[in-house]
Amino acid sequence: MKFTELQKLFHSQYDTDRSADIAHEFNVTPQVVHNWKIRDIVPYKYVKRLKKKIKESKKNKKSIDLSKNPIILQQNSGQFQLDESQLDLKQLLKNILMTCFENKKAITLYVLIILAVCLTKIYFFTYDYYTSDAKIIPAVSGSKSGNKLTGIASQFGVNLPASGSSGSSQISGILYPEIIRSRTIINSILENKFFIEKLNKSVPLYDFLIEGEIGKPIKLELAGNILKNMINLNMDELSSLIKIEVIAPEASLAHAISNSIIEKLNESQIAFKSSKIKEKKTFIKNRLDDSQKELYELEDGLKTFLDKNRNIQSSPALMLELNRQEREVEMQMQIFTTLKREFELAQIEEVEKSNMIIVLDPPNIPNEKSGPRRKLLSLFSLVFSITLSIILVFFTIFIKKYKKRLLNFIY
């Protein structure tokens, strides 16, 4: 072989034609390679050694390529072989596609079965539902005059609850969501009768939500959990605006339940307000009686003082005592007047039956169903069935291939 041919061969196989690289490959000195270049001939034993090395390289080319990858999944008759080599994503994808193609009948069968189950569930066992929404805010009661009178009373040592304040006769709106979800409100709604279009009659809500011959307490508990899931409450803490959404299988039922929630919430607020007003009236009445008694005693004392001291103007000490007693009578008179006014305001407030809730948007009767979105669910079901089918096929192949190893591991 000529030296120029050797250089071309080295360039094609090893991408180099430098004399130093050739010498290193043949394990000779650069001077020997230089002599080959001058004579333009290469000894036969080195040519034979090089051809043998190239032949072995071509034979093991596939294994050499795979040795660069730590993990490779090779497709072999529809099965995977694990090889500790670098992961080639393109090759992996190709192997997966090939496996899917070779097992297309099994995958198609799995897809049809899973998709049929999903579509049956969506179209035959998933019922339509409707959403009725409403917006409410707490009604703030109370008058400025009552607050002023309370301030005057506090100056004289009388601790009166503020008339109509949110802390006394009205619950804070922040608690409304918890009140609506309370057992008392939920059970009162469940015991109400609602007209059910499906049954064409009015029945207690708990009988509609929970069918069967079981005890009422158990029905109320189970139906209460269902009803809580049917009610969505969103509140803006800054404005105390509460949005109520009720989801039900019938439009009229969703509207009726939403109305019932507002009604029961308003009733509970009025009941709480009435109880707080009664407590306030009792407190004011007791304090009013004590104040009146003290006022009468001070007035009697002043009268007795004036009867005993006819010539007060001539004595500075008597004048000072007179001013002191008149001042005490006047202060007690102001306290008595304040308590009397608060008592009258409490009586007026007790008679009032004003709503404790302002309904901004009353519950609506939905014209269209809110769900389910069957077309979108069907698309998701198709994607899910394909994905699950591929996983099942791969899992089956894996089990078949490593069945013996798995059995040996288990036993």
Side-chain angles (χ1 to χ4, degrees):
M1 177 183 286
K2 294 184 179 181
F3 186 78
T4 54
E5 295 176 352
L6 178 67
Q7 284 183 315
K8 292 179 181 179
L9 188 59
F10 258 87
H11 188 273
S12 62
Q13 295 294 327
Y14 302 105
D15 198 21
T16 181
D17 57 1
R18 294 172 53 209
S19 298
D21 295 332
I22 296 173
H24 177 74
E25 186 67 27
F26 287 119
N27 196 18
V28 296
T29 62
Q31 184 63 35
V32 174
V33 176
H34 182 67
N35 292 334
W36 294 351
K37 185 176 182 180
I38 293 175
R39 292 184 296 167
D40 194 21
I41 191 171
V42 180
Y44 176 74
K45 66 176 183 177
Y46 293 106
V47 175
K48 183 179 179 181
R49 185 190 305 175
L50 179 61
K51 289 182 177 181
K52 182 179 179 181
K53 197 169 186 178
I54 293 173
K55 184 177 181 181
E56 291 177 353
S57 176
K58 288 182 178 180
K59 184 178 180 180
N60 300 324
K61 184 177 180 180
K62 186 175 181 180
S63 61
I64 292 173
D65 291 339
L66 294 176
S67 65
K68 299 177 183 178
N69 304 326
I71 299 176
I72 273 277
L73 293 175
Q74 290 184 329
Q75 188 271 338
N76 183 17
S77 300
Q79 297 183 353
F80 284 112
Q81 295 180 349
L82 295 176
D83 188 15
E84 295 183 357
S85 52
Q86 183 180 358
L87 181 62
D88 188 345
L89 295 179
K90 291 184 179 180
Q91 185 66 25
L92 177 61
L93 181 61
K94 180 180 178 181
N95 290 334
I96 292 174
L97 293 176
M98 288 295 295
T99 303
C100 292
F101 179 76
E102 291 186 359
N103 296 272
K104 57 185 178 181
K105 292 183 178 180
I107 292 177
T108 303
L109 180 62
Y110 283 142
V111 169
L112 292 177
I113 294 174
I114 298 172
L115 186 60
V117 173
C118 293
L119 294 180
T120 302
K121 170 66 176 175
I122 292 172
Y123 285 93
F124 296 99
F125 296 97
T126 302
Y127 301 101
D128 297 339
Y129 58 86
Y130 301 82
T131 303
S132 176
D133 58 79
K135 293 180 181 178
I136 62 173
I137 58 173
V140 180
S141 60
S143 61
K144 294 182 179 179
S145 61
N147 294 332
K148 289 182 179 179
L149 293 172
T150 305
I152 295 172
S154 64
Q155 293 178 3
F156 297 109
V158 182
N159 186 17
L160 290 179
S163 175
S165 65
S166 61
S168 60
S169 61
Q170 185 175 352
I171 298 176
S172 173
I174 298 176
L175 300 177
Y176 277 17
E178 295 302 323
I179 294 173
I180 293 173
R181 293 190 181 97
S182 66
R183 188 183 297 108
T184 302
I185 298 293
I186 292 295
N187 286 347
S188 62
I189 295 173
L190 289 173
E191 292 179 352
N192 279 359
K193 288 188 175 182
F194 296 90
F195 180 78
I196 309 300
E197 296 179 359
K198 178 182 177 181
L199 304 176
N200 196 25
K201 64 178 181 179
S202 296
V203 297
L205 185 58
Y206 68 83
D207 275 337
F208 173 70
L209 296 178
I210 301 295
E211 299 178 355
E213 297 297 330
I214 57 177
K216 182 178 178 180
I218 300 177
K219 270 193 175 184
L220 285 174
E221 183 177 355
L222 297 176
N225 295 329
I226 297 175
L227 182 57
K228 289 178 183 178
N229 293 329
M230 293 168 59
I231 302 172
N232 295 324
L233 301 172
N234 297 311
M235 179 176 181
D236 185 354
E237 295 184 0
L238 295 178
S239 62
S240 296
L241 176 67
I242 302 173
K243 184 177 181 181
I244 303 174
E245 291 183 347
V246 177
I247 301 173
E250 296 179 3
S252 59
L253 181 61
H255 173 260
I257 294 176
S258 186
N259 272 327
S260 181
I261 291 172
I262 296 174
E263 179 184 345
K264 297 298 181 182
L265 179 61
N266 188 52
E267 290 176 358
S268 68
Q269 279 290 77
I270 292 175
F272 176 79
K273 175 184 174 182
S274 299
S275 66
K276 297 300 290 184
I277 291 174
K278 287 180 181 179
E279 293 177 6
K280 183 169 69 172
K281 277 183 61 181
T282 302
F283 170 79
I284 295 175
K285 185 65 171 61
N286 294 333
R287 190 66 185 91
L288 186 61
D289 293 340
D290 294 339
S291 178
Q292 186 177 18
K293 183 178 179 181
E294 292 175 9
L295 178 61
Y296 288 167
E297 290 177 355
L298 290 173
E299 288 176 342
D300 291 340
L302 179 60
K303 178 179 176 295
T304 303
F305 177 77
L306 291 174
D307 289 340
K308 290 181 179 180
N309 302 280
R310 299 290 182 177
N311 191 13
I312 297 177
Q313 301 296 331
S314 60
S315 174
L318 292 176
M319 287 292 296
L320 181 60
E321 181 64 24
L322 177 62
N323 291 335
R324 184 180 296 115
Q325 291 194 19
E326 287 179 344
R327 185 169 59 252
E328 290 180 358
V329 171
E330 183 181 357
M331 290 175 61
Q332 192 63 36
M333 178 61 73
Q334 290 183 10
I335 294 173
F336 177 78
T337 304
T338 301
L339 291 169
K340 189 67 175 175
R341 289 178 180 175
E342 280 290 321
F343 185 74
E344 294 298 328
L345 289 173
Q347 284 186 317
I348 295 172
E349 195 173 359
E350 185 179 25
V351 175
E352 271 187 340
K353 296 298 181 182
S354 58
N355 290 331
M356 302 298 294
I357 296 173
I358 299 175
V359 181
L360 296 179
D361 291 336
N364 66 315
I365 301 178
N367 296 322
E368 297 179 354
K369 65 178 182 180
S370 304
R373 300 179 179 178
R374 289 188 170 87
K375 292 183 179 180
L376 184 60
L377 291 175
S378 300
L379 180 60
F380 286 157
S381 299
L382 177 61
V383 175
F384 171 76
S385 59
I386 293 174
T387 305
L388 184 59
S389 300
I390 293 174
I391 293 174
L392 289 174
V393 167
F394 277 58
F395 182 74
T396 304
I397 293 172
F398 180 82
I399 293 296
K400 287 181 179 180
K401 181 172 180 60
Y402 296 100
K403 182 178 180 180
K404 293 183 178 180
R405 294 185 183 181
L406 292 173
L407 292 175
N408 293 333
F409 178 77
I410 294 173
Y411 297 105

